[in-house]
Amino acid sequence: MRLSFLEPLYAEPGPFASVYLDTSRNVEHPERAIALRWRRLRESLSRQGSDRALLNVLEEVVGADTEVPGMHGQAVFAAHGTLVLEGELPRPPEHDSARYSTLPDAMPLITQHLPEIPYMAVVVHYGGLPTAEAHGWVTVEAETGTWPASTVTPGERLHRHVTVATWHRTSLGLGHQLDERARRAHADAVVVGGDEWACNVLIRRLPHTLRDKVVRVGGRTPTDTGRALLEPQLDGVFRGRMAAHDRELVDIFIGRRALDGPMTEGLATTVAALQRGQVAALLLNRPPGSSLRLWAGSQPTQLALIEAELMSFGVRAPREERADEALVRALVGTGAELVVVPESELRLYEGVGALLRYADPGTTS
Protein backbone atom coordinates (compact mmCIF):
# COMPACT_ATOMS: atom_id res chain seq x y z
CA MET A 1 0.00 0.00 0.00
CA ARG A 2 1.05 3.58 -0.62
CA LEU A 3 1.54 5.69 2.49
CA SER A 4 1.25 9.19 1.04
CA PHE A 5 -1.87 9.81 3.16
CA LEU A 6 0.47 9.89 6.17
CA GLU A 7 2.67 12.71 4.85
CA PRO A 8 0.98 15.39 7.02
CA LEU A 9 2.14 13.46 10.08
CA TYR A 10 5.77 14.14 9.29
CA ALA A 11 5.57 17.70 8.02
CA GLU A 12 6.51 18.96 11.49
CA PRO A 13 8.77 17.47 14.19
CA GLY A 14 7.32 15.85 17.31
CA PRO A 15 6.55 15.02 19.97
CA PHE A 16 3.16 13.69 18.92
CA ALA A 17 0.02 12.60 20.72
CA SER A 18 -1.46 9.53 18.99
CA VAL A 19 -4.97 8.51 20.03
CA TYR A 20 -6.98 5.43 19.01
CA LEU A 21 -10.52 5.34 20.33
CA ASP A 22 -13.69 3.27 19.91
CA THR A 23 -16.34 5.75 18.74
CA SER A 24 -19.03 3.22 17.82
CA ARG A 25 -22.60 4.43 17.97
CA ASN A 26 -24.44 1.12 17.99
CA VAL A 27 -24.56 1.11 21.81
CA GLU A 28 -26.82 2.75 24.36
CA HIS A 29 -25.75 6.31 25.24
CA PRO A 30 -22.76 6.34 22.84
CA GLU A 31 -21.71 9.92 23.64
CA ARG A 32 -21.44 9.07 27.32
CA ALA A 33 -19.36 5.96 26.54
CA ILE A 34 -17.03 7.91 24.23
CA ALA A 35 -16.59 10.69 26.81
CA LEU A 36 -15.65 8.13 29.46
CA ARG A 37 -13.09 6.47 27.20
CA TRP A 38 -11.58 9.81 26.24
CA ARG A 39 -11.32 10.89 29.88
CA ARG A 40 -9.13 7.87 30.62
CA LEU A 41 -6.94 8.54 27.57
CA ARG A 42 -6.65 12.23 28.41
CA GLU A 43 -5.41 11.38 31.89
CA SER A 44 -2.90 8.95 30.40
CA LEU A 45 -1.57 11.57 27.97
CA SER A 46 -1.27 14.09 30.78
CA ARG A 47 0.82 11.62 32.79
CA GLN A 48 3.03 11.06 29.72
CA GLY A 49 3.77 14.79 29.44
CA SER A 50 1.14 16.26 27.08
CA ASP A 51 0.33 19.87 27.91
CA ARG A 52 -3.19 21.26 28.27
CA ALA A 53 -3.19 23.00 24.87
CA LEU A 54 -2.50 19.73 23.10
CA LEU A 55 -5.15 17.89 25.13
CA ASN A 56 -7.74 20.56 24.32
CA VAL A 57 -7.03 20.26 20.59
CA LEU A 58 -7.59 16.52 20.78
CA GLU A 59 -10.76 16.95 22.81
CA GLU A 60 -12.30 19.12 20.09
CA VAL A 61 -12.20 16.30 17.54
CA VAL A 62 -12.49 13.13 19.63
CA GLY A 63 -15.99 11.77 19.13
CA ALA A 64 -16.87 14.44 16.56
CA ASP A 65 -17.54 11.77 13.92
CA THR A 66 -21.25 11.71 14.80
CA GLU A 67 -22.27 11.23 11.17
CA VAL A 68 -20.64 7.79 10.99
CA PRO A 69 -23.11 5.10 12.11
CA GLY A 70 -22.43 1.63 13.50
CA MET A 71 -19.22 0.11 14.80
CA HIS A 72 -16.05 2.05 14.02
CA GLY A 73 -13.16 3.90 15.62
CA GLN A 74 -11.19 7.07 15.34
CA ALA A 75 -7.47 7.84 15.03
CA VAL A 76 -6.30 11.34 15.97
CA PHE A 77 -2.79 12.80 15.88
CA ALA A 78 -1.69 16.19 17.20
CA ALA A 79 1.59 18.00 17.86
CA HIS A 80 2.54 21.40 19.28
CA GLY A 81 -1.07 22.31 20.01
CA THR A 82 -2.21 21.58 16.43
CA LEU A 83 -4.29 18.79 14.92
CA VAL A 84 -2.08 16.97 12.41
CA LEU A 85 -4.22 14.10 11.12
CA GLU A 86 -7.61 12.60 11.91
CA GLY A 87 -9.28 9.60 10.33
CA GLU A 88 -12.01 7.02 10.74
CA LEU A 89 -11.20 3.41 11.51
CA PRO A 90 -13.36 0.77 9.78
CA ARG A 91 -13.51 -1.19 13.03
CA PRO A 92 -12.93 -0.19 16.66
CA PRO A 93 -9.34 -0.58 17.91
CA GLU A 94 -8.73 -3.71 19.98
CA HIS A 95 -7.85 -1.44 22.88
CA ASP A 96 -8.26 2.31 23.26
CA SER A 97 -4.77 3.81 23.43
CA ALA A 98 -3.01 7.14 23.78
CA ARG A 99 0.71 7.63 23.26
CA TYR A 100 2.86 10.74 23.61
CA SER A 101 6.14 10.12 21.85
CA THR A 102 8.81 11.57 19.58
CA LEU A 103 7.38 9.78 16.55
CA PRO A 104 3.68 9.22 15.79
CA ASP A 105 2.21 5.79 16.48
CA ALA A 106 0.95 5.26 12.93
CA MET A 107 1.16 1.48 12.48
CA PRO A 108 -2.31 0.73 13.97
CA LEU A 109 -3.83 3.18 11.46
CA ILE A 110 -1.97 1.50 8.60
CA THR A 111 -3.05 -2.00 9.63
CA GLN A 112 -6.69 -0.85 9.70
CA HIS A 113 -6.31 0.25 6.06
CA LEU A 114 -4.85 -3.10 4.97
CA PRO A 115 -5.21 -4.86 2.58
CA GLU A 116 -6.47 -1.70 0.80
CA ILE A 117 -8.24 -3.44 -2.07
CA PRO A 118 -9.77 -1.08 -4.65
CA TYR A 119 -13.24 -2.16 -5.69
CA MET A 120 -16.58 -1.08 -7.08
CA ALA A 121 -19.88 -2.08 -5.46
CA VAL A 122 -23.10 -2.12 -7.49
CA VAL A 123 -26.63 -2.61 -6.17
CA VAL A 124 -29.49 -3.20 -8.62
CA HIS A 125 -33.00 -2.87 -7.18
CA TYR A 126 -36.11 -4.10 -8.98
CA GLY A 127 -39.22 -5.64 -7.50
CA GLY A 128 -41.27 -6.54 -10.54
CA LEU A 129 -41.53 -9.41 -13.02
CA PRO A 130 -38.35 -10.57 -14.81
CA THR A 131 -39.35 -9.18 -18.20
CA ALA A 132 -38.80 -5.95 -20.07
CA GLU A 133 -42.53 -5.80 -20.83
CA ALA A 134 -43.39 -5.07 -17.19
CA HIS A 135 -44.00 -1.61 -15.81
CA GLY A 136 -41.81 -0.02 -13.19
CA TRP A 137 -38.26 1.09 -12.59
CA VAL A 138 -34.84 -0.43 -12.14
CA THR A 139 -32.69 1.48 -9.64
CA VAL A 140 -28.91 1.22 -9.80
CA GLU A 141 -26.47 2.55 -7.23
CA ALA A 142 -22.70 2.21 -7.58
CA GLU A 143 -19.75 3.29 -5.48
CA THR A 144 -15.98 2.85 -5.68
CA GLY A 145 -13.67 2.63 -2.70
CA THR A 146 -10.84 0.75 -1.03
CA TRP A 147 -11.69 -2.04 1.39
CA PRO A 148 -11.86 -1.89 4.36
CA ALA A 149 -11.39 1.89 4.87
CA SER A 150 -14.33 2.78 2.63
CA THR A 151 -16.79 0.99 4.89
CA VAL A 152 -16.89 4.13 7.07
CA THR A 153 -15.84 6.68 4.46
CA PRO A 154 -18.00 5.88 1.41
CA GLY A 155 -17.13 7.61 -1.83
CA GLU A 156 -19.30 9.49 -4.29
CA ARG A 157 -22.29 7.39 -5.30
CA LEU A 158 -23.81 7.00 -8.75
CA HIS A 159 -27.64 6.85 -8.89
CA ARG A 160 -29.65 5.78 -11.94
CA HIS A 161 -33.40 5.14 -12.37
CA VAL A 162 -34.29 3.32 -15.57
CA THR A 163 -37.69 2.20 -16.82
CA VAL A 164 -37.98 -1.56 -17.10
CA ALA A 165 -39.05 -1.24 -20.73
CA THR A 166 -35.70 0.32 -21.66
CA TRP A 167 -33.51 -1.64 -19.22
CA HIS A 168 -31.95 -3.93 -21.85
CA ARG A 169 -30.98 -0.99 -24.02
CA THR A 170 -30.01 1.48 -21.29
CA SER A 171 -27.90 -1.01 -19.34
CA LEU A 172 -25.40 -1.11 -22.22
CA GLY A 173 -24.55 2.57 -21.82
CA LEU A 174 -24.62 2.23 -18.03
CA GLY A 175 -22.14 -0.63 -18.27
CA HIS A 176 -19.66 1.66 -20.03
CA GLN A 177 -20.14 4.31 -17.32
CA LEU A 178 -19.41 1.72 -14.66
CA ASP A 179 -16.36 0.54 -16.60
CA GLU A 180 -14.98 4.09 -16.68
CA ARG A 181 -15.48 4.48 -12.92
CA ALA A 182 -13.87 1.12 -12.20
CA ARG A 183 -10.85 2.01 -14.37
CA ARG A 184 -10.36 5.32 -12.57
CA ALA A 185 -10.46 3.49 -9.24
CA HIS A 186 -8.17 0.66 -10.51
CA ALA A 187 -10.79 -1.71 -9.11
CA ASP A 188 -9.64 -5.27 -8.44
CA ALA A 189 -13.24 -6.50 -8.20
CA VAL A 190 -16.81 -5.44 -9.02
CA VAL A 191 -19.17 -6.70 -6.33
CA VAL A 192 -22.76 -6.87 -7.55
CA GLY A 193 -25.90 -7.53 -5.51
CA GLY A 194 -29.64 -7.08 -5.87
CA ASP A 195 -32.42 -8.43 -8.07
CA GLU A 196 -31.20 -11.50 -9.96
CA TRP A 197 -32.86 -10.77 -13.31
CA ALA A 198 -31.91 -7.09 -13.43
CA CYS A 199 -28.34 -7.90 -12.31
CA ASN A 200 -27.97 -10.55 -15.02
CA VAL A 201 -29.06 -8.10 -17.70
CA LEU A 202 -26.52 -5.53 -16.53
CA ILE A 203 -23.64 -7.99 -16.14
CA ARG A 204 -24.13 -9.40 -19.64
CA ARG A 205 -23.76 -5.88 -21.04
CA LEU A 206 -20.61 -4.95 -19.16
CA PRO A 207 -17.37 -4.71 -21.16
CA HIS A 208 -15.49 -8.02 -21.05
CA THR A 209 -12.61 -6.64 -18.97
CA LEU A 210 -15.04 -5.49 -16.28
CA ARG A 211 -17.27 -8.57 -16.50
CA ASP A 212 -14.28 -10.77 -15.63
CA LYS A 213 -13.97 -8.91 -12.31
CA VAL A 214 -17.60 -9.38 -11.24
CA VAL A 215 -18.35 -11.13 -7.95
CA ARG A 216 -22.05 -11.85 -7.38
CA VAL A 217 -23.29 -11.68 -3.79
CA GLY A 218 -26.60 -12.39 -2.12
CA GLY A 219 -28.25 -11.14 1.03
CA ARG A 220 -29.89 -7.85 1.93
CA THR A 221 -28.81 -4.83 -0.09
CA PRO A 222 -29.89 -1.68 1.79
CA THR A 223 -28.48 1.56 0.38
CA ASP A 224 -29.43 4.00 3.17
CA THR A 225 -27.12 2.83 5.99
CA GLY A 226 -24.68 5.72 5.80
CA ARG A 227 -21.89 3.19 5.26
CA ALA A 228 -20.45 1.50 2.18
CA LEU A 229 -22.71 -0.23 -0.32
CA LEU A 230 -22.79 -3.99 0.31
CA GLU A 231 -20.66 -3.62 3.44
CA PRO A 232 -21.45 -7.09 4.94
CA GLN A 233 -20.84 -8.79 1.60
CA LEU A 234 -17.57 -6.92 1.00
CA ASP A 235 -16.15 -8.41 4.16
CA GLY A 236 -16.89 -11.92 2.93
CA VAL A 237 -15.41 -11.22 -0.51
CA PHE A 238 -12.17 -9.56 0.57
CA ARG A 239 -11.20 -10.98 3.96
CA GLY A 240 -7.93 -12.89 3.66
CA ARG A 241 -7.30 -11.55 0.17
CA MET A 242 -4.37 -9.42 -1.01
CA ALA A 243 -4.72 -6.43 -3.30
CA ALA A 244 -3.66 -7.21 -6.88
CA HIS A 245 -0.98 -4.51 -6.71
CA ASP A 246 0.51 -6.01 -3.54
CA ARG A 247 0.37 -9.49 -5.05
CA GLU A 248 2.33 -8.19 -8.03
CA LEU A 249 5.01 -6.75 -5.72
CA VAL A 250 5.27 -10.08 -3.89
CA ASP A 251 5.69 -11.92 -7.20
CA ILE A 252 8.43 -9.48 -8.23
CA PHE A 253 10.20 -10.08 -4.90
CA ILE A 254 10.04 -13.86 -5.37
CA GLY A 255 11.45 -13.52 -8.89
CA ARG A 256 14.28 -11.25 -7.78
CA ARG A 257 15.14 -13.52 -4.88
CA ALA A 258 15.43 -16.46 -7.27
CA LEU A 259 17.68 -14.49 -9.65
CA ASP A 260 19.68 -12.61 -7.01
CA GLY A 261 18.15 -9.35 -8.19
CA PRO A 262 17.80 -6.00 -6.37
CA MET A 263 16.15 -7.00 -3.09
CA THR A 264 17.07 -7.51 0.55
CA GLU A 265 15.92 -9.90 3.23
CA GLY A 266 16.46 -9.69 6.96
CA LEU A 267 16.36 -6.71 9.31
CA ALA A 268 19.99 -5.54 9.11
CA THR A 269 20.25 -5.40 5.31
CA THR A 270 16.77 -3.87 4.98
CA VAL A 271 17.56 -1.11 7.47
CA ALA A 272 20.80 -0.44 5.57
CA ALA A 273 18.81 -0.08 2.34
CA LEU A 274 16.39 2.32 4.03
CA GLN A 275 19.36 4.43 5.15
CA ARG A 276 20.31 4.87 1.47
CA GLY A 277 16.75 5.51 0.27
CA GLN A 278 16.93 2.37 -1.86
CA VAL A 279 13.68 0.75 -0.75
CA ALA A 280 10.80 0.86 -3.21
CA ALA A 281 8.58 -1.43 -1.14
CA LEU A 282 9.04 -2.90 2.35
CA LEU A 283 7.64 -6.40 2.85
CA LEU A 284 6.66 -7.62 6.32
CA ASN A 285 5.19 -10.89 7.47
CA ARG A 286 3.61 -8.95 10.32
CA PRO A 287 3.94 -5.45 11.79
CA PRO A 288 6.84 -5.26 14.29
CA GLY A 289 5.93 -5.70 17.93
CA SER A 290 6.25 -2.77 20.31
CA SER A 291 9.31 -4.35 21.97
CA LEU A 292 11.50 -4.20 18.84
CA ARG A 293 13.66 -1.05 18.85
CA LEU A 294 15.77 0.90 16.38
CA TRP A 295 17.98 3.93 16.83
CA ALA A 296 16.79 7.03 14.98
CA GLY A 297 17.89 10.58 14.25
CA SER A 298 15.92 13.61 13.13
CA GLN A 299 15.66 12.55 9.45
CA PRO A 300 13.63 9.65 7.99
CA THR A 301 16.69 7.80 6.69
CA GLN A 302 18.57 8.15 9.97
CA LEU A 303 17.86 4.76 11.52
CA ALA A 304 20.09 1.88 12.58
CA LEU A 305 20.22 -1.22 14.72
CA ILE A 306 22.83 0.24 17.06
CA GLU A 307 23.51 3.73 18.36
CA ALA A 308 27.17 3.75 17.37
CA GLU A 309 26.34 3.32 13.69
CA LEU A 310 24.24 6.49 13.61
CA MET A 311 26.87 8.41 15.55
CA SER A 312 29.47 7.33 13.00
CA PHE A 313 27.28 9.00 10.37
CA GLY A 314 27.45 12.25 12.33
CA VAL A 315 23.97 12.02 13.83
CA ARG A 316 23.89 13.89 17.12
CA ALA A 317 22.00 12.49 20.09
CA PRO A 318 20.22 9.55 18.39
CA ARG A 319 17.20 8.17 20.21
CA GLU A 320 16.02 4.62 20.72
CA GLU A 321 12.55 4.38 19.18
CA ARG A 322 9.97 1.71 18.55
CA ALA A 323 10.87 -0.03 15.30
CA ASP A 324 7.39 0.28 13.81
CA GLU A 325 7.37 4.06 14.32
CA ALA A 326 10.87 4.51 12.87
CA LEU A 327 10.14 2.26 9.89
CA VAL A 328 6.89 4.01 8.98
CA ARG A 329 8.60 7.42 9.09
CA ALA A 330 11.37 6.09 6.82
CA LEU A 331 8.85 4.69 4.33
CA VAL A 332 6.80 7.88 4.17
CA GLY A 333 9.89 10.06 3.99
CA THR A 334 11.37 8.11 1.07
CA GLY A 335 8.08 7.44 -0.78
CA ALA A 336 8.31 3.67 -0.30
CA GLU A 337 5.34 1.31 -0.19
CA LEU A 338 4.42 -1.24 2.46
CA VAL A 339 3.21 -4.79 1.86
CA VAL A 340 2.14 -7.08 4.70
CA VAL A 341 2.25 -10.61 3.32
CA PRO A 342 1.26 -13.71 5.34
CA GLU A 343 3.96 -16.29 5.98
CA SER A 344 1.78 -18.82 4.18
CA GLU A 345 2.27 -16.74 1.02
CA LEU A 346 5.93 -15.80 1.49
CA ARG A 347 8.16 -16.56 4.46
CA LEU A 348 10.72 -13.78 4.91
CA TYR A 349 13.97 -14.12 6.86
CA GLU A 350 13.38 -12.35 10.18
CA GLY A 351 9.96 -11.45 8.82
CA VAL A 352 11.21 -8.54 6.70
CA GLY A 353 12.45 -7.86 3.18
CA ALA A 354 12.45 -5.14 0.55
CA LEU A 355 12.27 -4.50 -3.16
CA LEU A 356 15.01 -2.05 -4.09
CA ARG A 357 14.95 0.84 -6.52
CA TYR A 358 18.52 0.08 -7.51
CA ALA A 359 21.44 -2.07 -6.44
CA ASP A 360 24.97 -0.97 -5.69
CA PRO A 361 28.13 -2.70 -4.47
CA GLY A 362 27.16 -1.86 -0.88
CA THR A 363 23.86 -3.71 -1.13
CA THR A 364 23.79 -7.23 0.25
CA SER A 365 20.83 -9.53 0.16
Side-chain angles (χ1 to χ4, degrees):
M1 76 182 283
R2 296 173 175 87
L3 302 176
S4 56
F5 73 100
L6 292 177
E7 288 175 359
L9 269 181
Y10 304 95
E12 298 292 339
F16 296 86
S18 308
V19 173
Y20 292 90
L21 183 69
D22 183 347
T23 53
S24 300
R25 286 181 168 77
N26 61 336
V27 297
E28 190 175 2
H29 307 301
E31 303 305 326
R32 186 186 306 170
I34 293 168
L36 181 60
R37 293 190 186 102
W38 164 239
R39 190 179 309 135
R40 296 194 193 102
L41 297 183
R42 180 178 176 126
E43 291 170 356
S44 173
L45 286 170
S46 182
R47 290 192 299 270
Q48 294 176 55
S50 296
D51 59 36
R52 182 170 297 180
L54 186 61
L55 295 173
N56 290 342
V57 165
L58 292 166
E59 188 153 322
E60 288 180 6
V61 295
V62 165
D65 54 349
T66 55
E67 76 286 355
V68 182
M71 292 181 63
H72 65 282
Q74 192 178 21
V76 186
F77 303 86
H80 306 295
T82 302
L83 180 68
V84 179
L85 186 68
E86 184 270 330
E88 302 304 321
L89 302 175
R91 59 186 181 276
E94 289 187 16
H95 307 285
D96 295 337
S97 66
R99 179 168 162 78
Y100 187 63
S101 53
T102 307
L103 298 177
D105 182 18
M107 189 62 81
L109 177 60
I110 292 171
T111 56
Q112 284 251 16
H113 277 73
L114 293 171
E116 201 176 47
I117 298 175
Y119 70 91
M120 181 166 65
V122 182
V123 174
V124 185
H125 284 303
Y126 173 61
L129 297 173
T131 170
E133 298 176 358
H135 297 288
W137 296 82
V138 176
T139 302
V140 179
E141 297 192 55
E143 181 178 271
T144 57
T146 53
W147 188 85
S150 293
T151 58
V152 289
T153 56
E156 181 184 357
R157 190 172 294 186
L158 176 145
H159 299 263
R160 291 289 184 272
H161 297 281
V162 182
T163 60
V164 178
T166 63
W167 178 232
H168 280 276
R169 182 173 70 255
T170 307
S171 60
L172 181 62
L174 178 59
H176 287 288
Q177 290 182 46
L178 295 175
D179 184 50
E180 182 180 350
R181 282 183 169 239
R183 287 175 183 273
R184 287 202 304 265
H186 304 286
D188 287 3
V190 180
V191 184
V192 181
D195 177 77
E196 185 174 0
W197 171 77
C199 284
N200 286 338
V201 172
L202 176 62
I203 291 170
R204 284 197 298 268
R205 282 156 179 77
L206 293 175
H208 285 288
T209 53
L210 191 62
R211 195 186 312 165
D212 292 341
K213 297 180 178 181
V214 167
V215 179
R216 288 291 300 272
V217 294
R220 296 180 63 252
T221 57
T223 59
D224 58 352
T225 63
R227 294 171 69 99
L229 282 178
L230 299 173
E231 179 191 356
Q233 292 92 333
L234 292 176
D235 187 75
V237 171
F238 295 132
R239 185 163 297 280
R241 178 170 168 174
M242 291 182 68
H245 176 70
D246 287 354
R247 168 68 63 186
E248 181 181 358
L249 293 178
V250 169
D251 289 343
I252 292 171
F253 181 91
I254 292 171
R256 290 186 183 182
R257 183 164 65 176
L259 299 173
D260 199 23
M263 47 74 67
T264 68
E265 196 168 2
L267 185 60
T269 55
T270 301
V271 167
L274 285 166
Q275 292 170 352
R276 294 188 289 267
Q278 284 180 277
V279 173
L282 179 72
L283 280 65
L284 298 173
N285 282 144
R286 67 186 65 83
S290 59
S291 61
L292 182 62
R293 303 281 168 163
L294 291 173
W295 287 89
S298 60
Q299 300 302 312
T301 55
Q302 293 176 344
L303 72 166
L305 297 182
I306 58 175
E307 180 183 17
E309 183 178 2
L310 278 188
M311 295 184 71
S312 71
F313 296 155
V315 177
R316 296 182 179 179
R319 304 173 308 274
E320 194 174 25
E321 305 284 3
R322 277 179 28 177
D324 59 342
E325 296 176 353
L327 287 172
V328 171
R329 184 184 65 158
L331 296 178
V332 174
T334 59
E337 297 186 57
L338 174 66
V339 179
V340 177
V341 53
E343 287 188 3
S344 58
E345 300 282 343
L346 172 66
R347 186 183 294 273
L348 296 162
Y349 174 61
E350 296 182 332
V352 61
L355 287 171
L356 303 183
R357 295 185 170 107
Y358 64 92
D360 62 29
T363 304
T364 59
S365 58

